[in-house]
Coordinates of all heavy atoms in Angstrom, one line a residue:
R804 N 29.6 -14.8 -9.5 CA 30.4 -15.5 -10.5 C 29.5 -15.7 -11.8 O 30.0 -15.5 -12.9 CB 30.8 -16.9 -9.9 CG 31.9 -16.8 -8.9 CD 32.3 -18.2 -8.4 NE 33.5 -18.2 -7.7 CZ 34.1 -19.3 -7.1 NH1 33.5 -20.5 -7.3 NH2 35.2 -19.2 -6.4
F805 N 28.2 -16.0 -11.6 CA 27.4 -16.1 -12.8 C 27.2 -14.8 -13.5 O 27.2 -14.7 -14.7 CB 26.1 -16.7 -12.4 CG 25.3 -17.2 -13.6 CD1 25.6 -18.4 -14.2 CD2 24.3 -16.4 -14.2 CE1 24.9 -18.8 -15.4 CE2 23.6 -16.8 -15.3 CZ 23.9 -18.0 -15.9
E806 N 27.1 -13.7 -12.7 CA 27.1 -12.4 -13.4 C 28.3 -12.1 -14.2 O 28.2 -11.5 -15.2 CB 26.9 -11.3 -12.3 CG 25.5 -11.3 -11.7 CD 25.3 -10.4 -10.5 OE1 26.3 -9.8 -10.1 OE2 24.2 -10.2 -10.1
N807 N 29.5 -12.6 -13.7 CA 30.7 -12.4 -14.5 C 30.6 -13.2 -15.8 O 31.1 -12.8 -16.8 CB 31.9 -12.8 -13.6 CG 33.1 -12.0 -13.9 OD1 33.1 -10.9 -14.4 ND2 34.3 -12.6 -13.6
L808 N 30.1 -14.4 -15.7 CA 29.9 -15.3 -16.8 C 28.9 -14.6 -17.8 O 29.2 -14.6 -19.0 CB 29.4 -16.7 -16.4 CG 29.1 -17.7 -17.6 CD1 30.4 -17.9 -18.4 CD2 28.5 -19.0 -17.0
Q809 N 27.9 -14.0 -17.3 CA 26.9 -13.3 -18.2 C 27.6 -12.2 -18.9 O 27.4 -11.9 -20.1 CB 25.8 -12.8 -17.3 CG 24.8 -13.8 -16.9 CD 23.7 -13.2 -16.0 OE1 24.0 -12.6 -15.0 NE2 22.4 -13.3 -16.3
S810 N 28.4 -11.4 -18.2 CA 29.1 -10.3 -18.8 C 30.0 -10.8 -19.9 O 30.1 -10.1 -21.0 CB 30.0 -9.5 -17.7 OG 29.2 -9.0 -16.7
L811 N 30.7 -11.9 -19.7 CA 31.5 -12.5 -20.8 C 30.7 -12.8 -22.0 O 31.0 -12.5 -23.2 CB 32.2 -13.7 -20.2 CG 33.1 -14.5 -21.2 CD1 34.2 -13.6 -21.8 CD2 33.7 -15.7 -20.6
I812 N 29.5 -13.5 -21.8 CA 28.7 -13.9 -22.9 C 28.1 -12.7 -23.6 O 28.1 -12.6 -24.9 CB 27.5 -14.8 -22.4 CG1 28.1 -16.1 -21.9 CG2 26.5 -15.0 -23.4 CD1 27.1 -16.9 -21.1
R813 N 27.7 -11.7 -22.9 CA 27.2 -10.4 -23.5 C 28.2 -9.8 -24.3 O 28.0 -9.3 -25.5 CB 26.7 -9.5 -22.4 CG 25.4 -9.9 -21.8 CD 24.8 -8.7 -20.9 NE 23.7 -9.1 -20.2 CZ 23.7 -9.4 -18.9 NH1 24.9 -9.3 -18.2 NH2 22.6 -9.8 -18.2
A814 N 29.5 -9.7 -23.8 CA 30.6 -9.1 -24.6 C 30.8 -9.8 -25.9 O 31.0 -9.2 -26.9 CB 31.8 -9.1 -23.7
I815 N 30.8 -11.1 -25.9 CA 31.0 -11.9 -27.1 C 29.9 -11.7 -28.1 O 30.0 -11.5 -29.3 CB 31.2 -13.4 -26.8 CG1 32.5 -13.6 -25.9 CG2 31.3 -14.2 -28.1 CD1 32.7 -15.0 -25.4
R816 N 28.6 -11.7 -27.5 CA 27.5 -11.4 -28.4 C 27.6 -10.1 -29.1 O 27.3 -9.9 -30.3 CB 26.2 -11.5 -27.6 CG 25.8 -12.9 -27.1 CD 24.6 -12.8 -26.2 NE 24.1 -14.2 -25.9 CZ 23.1 -14.4 -25.0 NH1 22.6 -13.3 -24.3 NH2 22.7 -15.6 -24.7
N817 N 27.9 -9.1 -28.3 CA 28.0 -7.7 -28.8 C 29.0 -7.6 -29.9 O 28.9 -6.9 -30.9 CB 28.3 -6.7 -27.7 CG 27.1 -6.5 -26.7 OD1 26.0 -6.9 -27.1 ND2 27.4 -6.1 -25.5
A818 N 30.2 -8.3 -29.7 CA 31.3 -8.3 -30.6 C 30.8 -8.9 -31.9 O 31.1 -8.4 -33.0 CB 32.5 -9.0 -30.1
R819 N 30.1 -10.0 -31.8 CA 29.6 -10.7 -33.0 C 28.6 -9.8 -33.8 O 28.7 -9.7 -35.0 CB 28.8 -12.0 -32.6 CG 29.7 -13.1 -32.0 CD 28.9 -14.4 -31.8 NE 28.4 -14.9 -33.0 CZ 28.6 -16.1 -33.5 NH1 29.4 -17.0 -32.8 NH2 28.1 -16.5 -34.6
A820 N 27.8 -9.1 -33.1 CA 26.8 -8.2 -33.7 C 27.5 -7.0 -34.4 O 27.2 -6.6 -35.5 CB 25.8 -7.7 -32.7
E821 N 28.6 -6.5 -33.7 CA 29.3 -5.4 -34.2 C 30.1 -5.7 -35.5 O 30.2 -4.9 -36.4 CB 30.3 -4.9 -33.1 CG 30.9 -3.6 -33.3 CD 31.7 -3.1 -32.1 OE1 31.5 -3.6 -31.0 OE2 32.7 -2.4 -32.4
Y822 N 30.6 -6.9 -35.5 CA 31.3 -7.4 -36.7 C 30.4 -8.1 -37.7 O 31.0 -8.7 -38.7 CB 32.5 -8.2 -36.3 CG 33.7 -7.4 -35.8 CD1 33.7 -7.1 -34.4 CD2 34.7 -7.0 -36.7 CE1 34.8 -6.3 -34.0 CE2 35.7 -6.2 -36.2 CZ 35.8 -5.9 -34.8 OH 36.8 -5.1 -34.4
S823 N 29.1 -8.1 -37.4 CA 28.2 -8.8 -38.4 C 28.5 -10.2 -38.7 O 28.5 -10.7 -39.8 CB 28.1 -8.0 -39.7 OG 27.7 -6.6 -39.4
V824 N 28.9 -10.9 -37.6 CA 29.2 -12.4 -37.8 C 27.9 -13.1 -38.2 O 26.9 -12.9 -37.6 CB 29.8 -13.0 -36.5 CG1 30.1 -14.4 -36.7 CG2 31.1 -12.2 -36.2
E825 N 28.0 -14.0 -39.2 CA 26.9 -14.7 -39.6 C 26.3 -15.5 -38.4 O 27.0 -16.1 -37.6 CB 27.2 -15.7 -40.7 CG 27.6 -14.9 -42.0 CD 28.0 -15.9 -43.1 OE1 27.9 -17.1 -42.9 OE2 28.5 -15.5 -44.2
P826 N 25.0 -15.6 -38.3 CA 24.3 -16.3 -37.2 C 24.8 -17.7 -37.0 O 25.0 -18.2 -35.9 CB 22.9 -16.2 -37.5 CG 22.7 -15.0 -38.3 CD 24.0 -14.9 -39.1
A827 N 25.0 -18.4 -38.1 CA 25.3 -19.9 -38.1 C 26.8 -20.1 -37.8 O 27.1 -21.3 -37.5 CB 24.9 -20.5 -39.4
K828 N 27.6 -19.1 -37.8 CA 29.0 -19.3 -37.7 C 29.4 -19.4 -36.3 O 29.1 -18.6 -35.4 CB 29.7 -18.2 -38.4 CG 31.2 -18.4 -38.5 CD 31.9 -17.4 -39.4 CE 33.4 -17.7 -39.6 NZ 34.0 -16.7 -40.5
R829 N 30.2 -20.5 -36.0 CA 30.7 -20.7 -34.6 C 32.2 -20.3 -34.7 O 32.9 -20.6 -35.6 CB 30.6 -22.1 -34.2 CG 29.2 -22.7 -34.4 CD 29.0 -24.0 -33.7 NE 28.9 -23.8 -32.2 CZ 27.8 -23.4 -31.6 NH1 26.7 -23.2 -32.3 NH2 27.7 -23.2 -30.3
I830 N 32.6 -19.5 -33.7 CA 33.9 -18.9 -33.7 C 34.7 -19.5 -32.5 O 34.2 -20.1 -31.5 CB 33.8 -17.4 -33.6 CG1 33.2 -16.9 -32.3 CG2 33.1 -16.8 -34.8 CD1 33.2 -15.4 -32.1
S831 N 36.0 -19.2 -32.6 CA 36.9 -19.6 -31.5 C 37.0 -18.5 -30.4 O 36.7 -17.4 -30.7 CB 38.3 -19.9 -32.1 OG 38.3 -20.9 -33.1
A832 N 37.6 -18.8 -29.3 CA 37.7 -17.8 -28.2 C 38.8 -18.3 -27.3 O 38.9 -19.5 -27.0 CB 36.4 -17.6 -27.5
S833 N 39.6 -17.4 -26.8 CA 40.5 -17.7 -25.7 C 40.1 -16.8 -24.5 O 40.0 -15.6 -24.6 CB 41.9 -17.3 -26.1 OG 42.4 -18.2 -27.1
V834 N 39.8 -17.5 -23.4 CA 39.3 -16.8 -22.2 C 40.5 -16.7 -21.3 O 41.2 -17.7 -20.9 CB 38.2 -17.5 -21.5 CG1 37.7 -16.8 -20.3 CG2 37.0 -17.7 -22.5
V835 N 40.8 -15.4 -20.8 CA 42.0 -15.2 -20.0 C 41.6 -14.6 -18.7 O 40.7 -13.8 -18.6 CB 43.0 -14.2 -20.7 CG1 44.2 -13.9 -19.8 CG2 43.4 -14.7 -22.1
G836 N 42.2 -15.2 -17.6 CA 41.9 -14.7 -16.3 C 42.7 -15.4 -15.3 O 43.6 -16.2 -15.6
N837 N 42.5 -15.1 -14.0 CA 43.3 -15.7 -13.0 C 42.7 -17.1 -12.7 O 41.6 -17.5 -13.3 CB 43.3 -14.9 -11.7 CG 41.9 -14.6 -11.2 OD1 41.0 -15.5 -11.1 ND2 41.6 -13.4 -10.8
A838 N 43.4 -17.9 -11.9 CA 43.0 -19.3 -11.7 C 41.6 -19.5 -11.2 O 40.9 -20.4 -11.6 CB 44.0 -19.9 -10.8
E839 N 41.2 -18.6 -10.2 CA 39.9 -18.7 -9.6 C 38.8 -18.5 -10.6 O 37.9 -19.3 -10.8 CB 39.7 -17.7 -8.5 CG 38.4 -17.8 -7.8 CD 38.1 -16.6 -6.9 OE1 38.9 -15.7 -6.8 OE2 36.9 -16.6 -6.4
V840 N 38.9 -17.4 -11.4 CA 37.9 -17.1 -12.4 C 37.9 -18.2 -13.5 O 36.8 -18.6 -13.9 CB 38.2 -15.7 -13.0 CG1 37.2 -15.5 -14.2 CG2 38.1 -14.6 -12.0
L841 N 39.0 -18.6 -14.0 CA 39.0 -19.6 -15.0 C 38.4 -20.9 -14.5 O 37.8 -21.7 -15.2 CB 40.5 -19.9 -15.4 CG 41.1 -18.8 -16.2 CD1 42.6 -19.1 -16.6 CD2 40.3 -18.4 -17.5
G842 N 38.6 -21.2 -13.2 CA 38.0 -22.4 -12.6 C 36.5 -22.5 -12.8 O 36.0 -23.5 -13.3
Y843 N 35.8 -21.4 -12.4 CA 34.3 -21.5 -12.5 C 33.8 -21.2 -13.9 O 32.8 -21.7 -14.3 CB 33.6 -20.6 -11.5 CG 33.8 -19.1 -11.6 CD1 33.1 -18.4 -12.5 CD2 34.7 -18.4 -10.7 CE1 33.3 -17.0 -12.6 CE2 34.8 -17.0 -10.8 CZ 34.1 -16.3 -11.8 OH 34.3 -15.0 -11.8
V844 N 34.5 -20.4 -14.7 CA 34.1 -20.2 -16.1 C 34.3 -21.4 -16.9 O 33.4 -21.8 -17.7 CB 34.8 -19.0 -16.7 CG1 34.5 -18.8 -18.2 CG2 34.5 -17.7 -16.0
S845 N 35.4 -22.1 -16.8 CA 35.7 -23.3 -17.6 C 34.7 -24.4 -17.2 O 34.4 -25.3 -18.0 CB 37.1 -23.7 -17.4 OG 37.4 -24.1 -16.0
S846 N 34.3 -24.4 -15.9 CA 33.4 -25.5 -15.5 C 32.0 -25.4 -16.2 O 31.2 -26.3 -16.3 CB 33.1 -25.4 -14.0 OG 32.4 -24.3 -13.6
E847 N 31.7 -24.2 -16.8 CA 30.5 -23.9 -17.5 C 30.8 -23.7 -19.0 O 30.2 -22.8 -19.6 CB 29.7 -22.8 -16.9 CG 29.2 -23.1 -15.5 CD 28.3 -24.3 -15.4 OE1 27.6 -24.7 -16.5 OE2 28.2 -24.9 -14.4
K848 N 31.8 -24.4 -19.5 CA 32.2 -24.3 -20.9 C 31.1 -24.5 -21.8 O 30.9 -23.8 -22.8 CB 33.4 -25.2 -21.1 CG 34.0 -25.2 -22.5 CD 35.1 -26.2 -22.6 CE 35.8 -26.1 -24.0 NZ 36.9 -27.1 -24.1
Q849 N 30.2 -25.5 -21.6 CA 29.1 -25.8 -22.5 C 28.1 -24.6 -22.5 O 27.6 -24.3 -23.6 CB 28.4 -27.1 -22.0 CG 29.3 -28.3 -22.2 CD 30.3 -28.5 -21.1 OE1 30.1 -27.9 -20.0 NE2 31.4 -29.2 -21.4
V850 N 27.9 -24.0 -21.3 CA 26.9 -22.9 -21.3 C 27.5 -21.7 -22.1 O 26.8 -21.0 -22.9 CB 26.6 -22.5 -19.8 CG1 25.8 -21.2 -19.8 CG2 25.9 -23.6 -19.1
L851 N 28.8 -21.4 -21.8 CA 29.5 -20.3 -22.5 C 29.4 -20.6 -24.0 O 29.1 -19.6 -24.8 CB 30.9 -20.2 -22.1 CG 31.8 -19.3 -22.8 CD1 31.3 -17.8 -22.6 CD2 33.3 -19.4 -22.3
A852 N 29.7 -21.8 -24.5 CA 29.7 -22.0 -25.9 C 28.3 -22.0 -26.5 O 28.2 -21.4 -27.6 CB 30.3 -23.4 -26.2
L853 N 27.3 -22.5 -25.9 CA 26.0 -22.5 -26.4 C 25.4 -21.1 -26.5 O 24.9 -20.7 -27.6 CB 25.1 -23.3 -25.5 CG 23.6 -23.4 -25.9 CD1 23.4 -24.0 -27.3 CD2 22.7 -24.1 -24.9
L854 N 25.6 -20.3 -25.5 CA 25.0 -19.0 -25.4 C 25.8 -17.9 -26.2 O 25.3 -16.8 -26.5 CB 24.7 -18.5 -24.0 CG 23.8 -19.4 -23.2 CD1 23.5 -18.8 -21.8 CD2 22.5 -19.8 -23.9
S855 N 27.0 -18.2 -26.5 CA 27.9 -17.3 -27.2 C 28.1 -17.7 -28.7 O 28.8 -17.0 -29.4 CB 29.2 -17.1 -26.5 OG 29.1 -16.7 -25.2
R856 N 27.6 -18.9 -29.0 CA 27.8 -19.5 -30.3 C 29.3 -19.6 -30.6 O 29.9 -19.1 -31.6 CB 27.2 -18.6 -31.4 CG 25.7 -18.6 -31.4 CD 25.1 -20.0 -31.7 NE 23.7 -20.0 -31.9 CZ 22.8 -20.2 -30.9 NH1 23.2 -20.4 -29.7 NH2 21.5 -20.2 -31.2

Side-chain angles (χ1 to χ4, degrees):
R804 286 180 171 181
F805 193 81
E806 287 174 351
N807 213 24
L808 178 60
Q809 286 177 304
S810 298
L811 175 60
I812 293 168
R813 288 192 187 101
I815 297 172
R816 288 173 173 173
N817 291 340
R819 292 183 64 122
E821 195 175 330
Y822 281 88
S823 302
V824 179
E825 293 179 6
K828 188 171 186 179
R829 310 193 74 81
I830 62 175
S831 305
S833 291
V834 179
V835 177
N837 58 46
E839 180 193 358
V840 173
L841 292 179
Y843 64 77
V844 172
S845 63
S846 70
E847 296 301 333
K848 182 178 181 180
Q849 293 78 24
V850 172
L851 174 63
L853 177 65
L854 301 188
S855 304
R856 291 298 189 267

